[in-house]
Amino acid sequence: MSRQSRRAESGKTEGKIYAVCRTTGTALIAAVIVLCSLLVVPGILGFRMYHVISGSMEPELKVGSLIYVREEVPGEIEAKEIIAYYSAQEDGGIITHRVLENNPVSGCFRTKGDANDAEDPTLVEYSRYIGSVKFKIPYMGKAFMIMTSLYGKIAAVCVVILGVVLNLAGSRQREESGENEN
């Protein structure tokens, strides 16, 4: 094999490596954009996202699910809908249960968790109502919690930086390869 053909073969291999760098960098940046849009776009459309941490609504809402809740007019909520509301306890936790009855006159819901034997002991006043569950994504709640944490945000920034570096490295080497061929 001549020196010129070896050089051409080496250039092709380098070109493939640089193309892989550019493609990987672009894919990393795109992945972060897609994941961030899953967090931002629903908020723009009026949804709040919550992570299911108890089994009171299983099997309908599995532990670890990500749920999308949107505020609706409380008086128009019908029986069998699933709503999210603030707990009556001082901790202010969020509960997601099914509506058994809606009483617009008293401004209260009677609720029950699907997996619970008895209905909830206290009525849910409209003032504690957050919204109605519109969508659910099983097992994505944990990922949501990680992505919205400080560590998740730092990881996203690091992935974007890595993607930019890979793109720049691939582009720079392509420019150098083009200069060497002349």
Side-chain angles (χ1 to χ4, degrees), residues 49-164:
M49 292 166 283
Y50 297 101
H51 172 214
V52 177
I53 59 172
S54 82
S56 68
M57 282 300 295
E58 291 218 5
E60 183 69 25
L61 299 177
K62 296 186 183 319
V63 171
S65 294
L66 176 64
I67 57 172
Y68 292 85
V69 175
R70 185 170 57 200
E71 186 176 357
E72 304 288 338
V73 177
E76 295 178 4
I77 300 296
E78 297 182 14
K80 297 187 180 180
E81 285 189 57
I82 301 172
I83 63 168
Y85 57 91
Y86 295 106
S87 167
Q89 306 298 320
E90 288 183 25
D91 67 359
I94 296 171
I95 299 171
T96 306
H97 280 175
R98 192 175 301 278
V99 173
L100 298 177
E101 179 185 354
N102 183 358
N103 188 337
V105 174
S106 67
C108 293
F109 299 104
R110 212 167 39 88
T111 58
K112 177 184 177 291
D114 288 358
N116 297 346
D117 292 330
E119 67 182 54
D120 297 338
T122 58
L123 296 175
V124 177
E125 301 87 18
Y126 283 1
S127 63
R128 294 186 3 230
Y129 165 79
I130 297 170
S132 180
V133 175
K134 298 298 179 186
F135 304 104
K136 63 183 176 189
I137 303 175
Y139 312 112
M140 281 300 295
K142 193 70 162 176
F144 167 73
M145 296 301 292
I146 292 169
M147 289 174 9
T148 57
S149 72
L150 176 62
Y151 297 116
K153 291 173 186 174
I154 291 170
V157 169
C158 290
V159 169
V160 169
I161 290 170
L162 177 61
V164 169

Side-chain angles (χ1 to χ4, degrees), residues 13-27 166-167 170:
T13 303
E14 286 179 6
K16 288 178 184 177
I17 291 170
Y18 303 136
V20 168
C21 284
R22 287 190 307 275
T23 303
T24 303
T26 301
L166 287 171
N167 267 314

